[in-house]
Every structure is written in structure tokens, then in C-alpha cells.
Amino acid sequence: MSWYRNTVWFVKGLREYTRGGYESASKRFNPADVEVDVAGRSFLVTGANSGIGKATAKEIARRGGTVHLVCRNKERAEVAKEEIVTETGNQNIFLHIVDISNPKEIWKFAEKFRNEHKLNVLINNAGCMVNNRELTEDGLEKNFATNTLGTYIMTTALVPLLEKAADARVITVSSGGMLVQKLNVSDLQSESGPFDGTMVYAQNKRQQVVLTEQWAKAHRNIHFSVMHPGWADTPAVRSSMPDFYERMKNSLRTEAQGADTVLWLAVSAEATKLPSGLFFQDRQPVPTHLPLAYTHSPPEDEEKLMEVLEEFSQEFKSASPG
């Protein structure tokens, strides 16, 4: 049935995920939802030096929020920070250099951050799509290390800080590609069979949806959400999916359009009127499974995912310097 799922997803995407889909959906948006002052609130955005992460950080900064940019590349991050400060006039922009594929680095960062800052909103945006199977220095498959384990550790490490905050939120940037994947806990690091980077990425994005649903059940004082930004023209899309980019470049959303729902989930009062744990597209919750796609997983698989990630997390926490 994989051909069916892929075909349905692509046809659906052609209609909804493009710039035209955004323009159509935006006709029902209430601009007042995001016309808010968030001065005094603290936001952390991973992968914030380009693309959707930078666009989100910039819009939060325009609204007066304190923004912590978590980036891997120091040079690009400093350029992004300077751009955000210059364009918004907001001086409360802070830079942290962290490689989200390195769990020890994340633990070290999170423990220091908890002691020095407050946090109202965590935005898990950092991600990668590596098209060949690569291992990190810790022996982890790089897509899994970044998209799944990195997101898990960053979130769970900062939950104690978020639980102290008013109106705490966690938003994870996923992808509609997850609709073609059923959770697979038997091969989290893609060791079996041929390696398909696009499908590994989609599997990671399914895992992020499951994480969000599980976190929402476990932490009732925090509002969790996961979203699909549509198909946006970002540096990551250009580098990771060049053929797709060439085919779709005239129809792709802008970075700001891709970031719109992230911003809405992060700042609007309307977002938290909806239940925690939902999957969003264009400011509204949407199903996490296509009809007849057979992508539902049993509860025991979802519990197994959480158990395995927690084991990894604790292993790297104990190995983290400091």
C-alpha cells in the first residue's frame, strides 16, 4: 500500500501544501490572533539561523518576546541574530551554539539554560534530511539523532523549566510526509534494508507526532502541538530535495507562510483553547492519518518508542560533561 499512501499524499500536497493552499486557507485567518504583545515572555527556537526557524524568531521578536536562538553553525547564527535585531529593533535576542544531533551537547546546554533563564515557549524546529546513512560521533544515525532523539532530549530536559511558567507551550515542526509512514520502533536507526533518506525523514516526523501526543498526556500544565508548515522555499528544501525543489519551486510557500502556524501556536490565545497534543496545518487541527492508509500503531509501540528514547536520553545524560 506504500504506492497508494505516497500518491494520495502527493496529490493532497499539490492542493493544500503549496503557496496557493496557504493563500486559500489564510482567507479564514483572524489577523488579531497574532497581533499580540509578548514582551516579558521567553521563547527558545532551535534551528533558528535560516528558513522557518529564523522567520518564526523574527516574528516573535517583532512582538517584543525574548528569543533564544539555538543554532549549530556559529557564523550563520551570528548573521541571523544581527538581522533579527536590526529588522525588529528588539535587543533581547540571545544566541546559543548547540548541535541538535549531539545528545551530550543538548544535555549540557539544557542544564545550564535551566539555571540561567526562564522559558515560556519551546519551538522544536531544527531538523535534517540526510540522504545517505551517516553516523554521528556517538554512532547514531544522523536523521534519527537530530529529528527524533534531539527533539526528545531538548524537550524533556526543559520540561521542568516550562512547568514553572505561565501559559507554557511546546511546538514541534513536523511534516506532512509523516502521513505516509506508520511508526516503526523495530528499526529506529535505519539499519535494515536499503536507505531512503526521504522516508527516514518521514518516519522521524511520524515519531515527532507520537512524541507530542504522549507528552500531552504526561504533562497537563504544558500545551503541546505539532505542525506541518506546508511546502516552503527554505535552504533545507533546496539542499536536501533538489529535484523536488526544481519541480515545485514556483509553487512553494515563502518562509514566512511556512512559519505562520508556528507563530500562531506560539503566541495566540486561540491556540491553547484547543486540546493539547494535536497536529496542525494552517492554524487548524488536521488528522494524523490518511483514510485507508493503515498507519495507525498499537499503544504498545508508542510506549516502546518513549521507553527507548528515555534509555538513550539517560545514557547520554550520564555521559554529558558537567
Side-chain angles (χ1 to χ4, degrees), residues 31 37 48 51 65 100 105 109 117 173 194 198 200 225 240 255 262 280 285 307 310:
D37 182 351
I100 302 296
E105 268 191 39
F109 159 75
H117 303 281
V173 178
T198 304
V200 171
S225 55
S240 299
E255 292 173 347
V262 189
F280 288 81
E307 289 170 8
E310 182 61 17

Side-chain angles (χ1 to χ4, degrees), residues 25-101:
S26 66
K27 292 174 183 175
R28 60 173 166 74
F29 293 174
N30 181 358
D33 285 358
V34 295
E35 290 172 359
V36 294
D37 182 351
V38 292
R41 285 177 65 76
S42 176
F43 300 77
L44 189 155
V45 185
T46 67
N49 66 282
S50 68
I52 288 167
K54 185 172 79 171
T56 301
K58 192 177 291 183
E59 291 305 317
I60 291 169
R62 286 192 210 284
R63 289 157 177 79
T66 296
V67 186
H68 295 274
L69 313 175
V70 174
C71 308
R72 180 173 57 87
N73 184 290
K74 189 171 188 291
E75 287 181 16
R76 290 202 295 266
E78 286 174 344
V79 171
K81 176 186 172 181
E82 184 177 344
E83 179 184 323
I84 293 168
V85 171
T86 300
E87 289 192 20
T88 68
N90 186 337
Q91 299 294 322
N92 292 318
I93 312 299
F94 301 94
L95 186 56
H96 310 271
I97 305 303
V98 185
D99 183 349
I100 302 296
S101 73

Side-chain angles (χ1 to χ4, degrees), residues 224-278:
F224 290 87
S225 55
V226 58
M227 59 79 67
H228 173 40
W231 292 340
D233 186 352
T234 66
V237 168
R238 293 184 185 201
S239 63
S240 299
M241 305 174 71
D243 294 341
F244 172 82
Y245 173 75
E246 282 302 317
R247 189 166 67 248
M248 298 297 297
K249 62 184 178 183
N250 295 325
S251 302
L252 296 177
R253 299 179 177 201
T254 66
E255 292 173 347
Q257 290 170 342
D260 176 81
T261 296
V262 189
L263 177 70
W264 182 82
L265 288 166
V267 306
S268 78
E270 294 304 306
T272 52
K273 292 179 182 177
L274 294 162
S276 182
L278 299 180

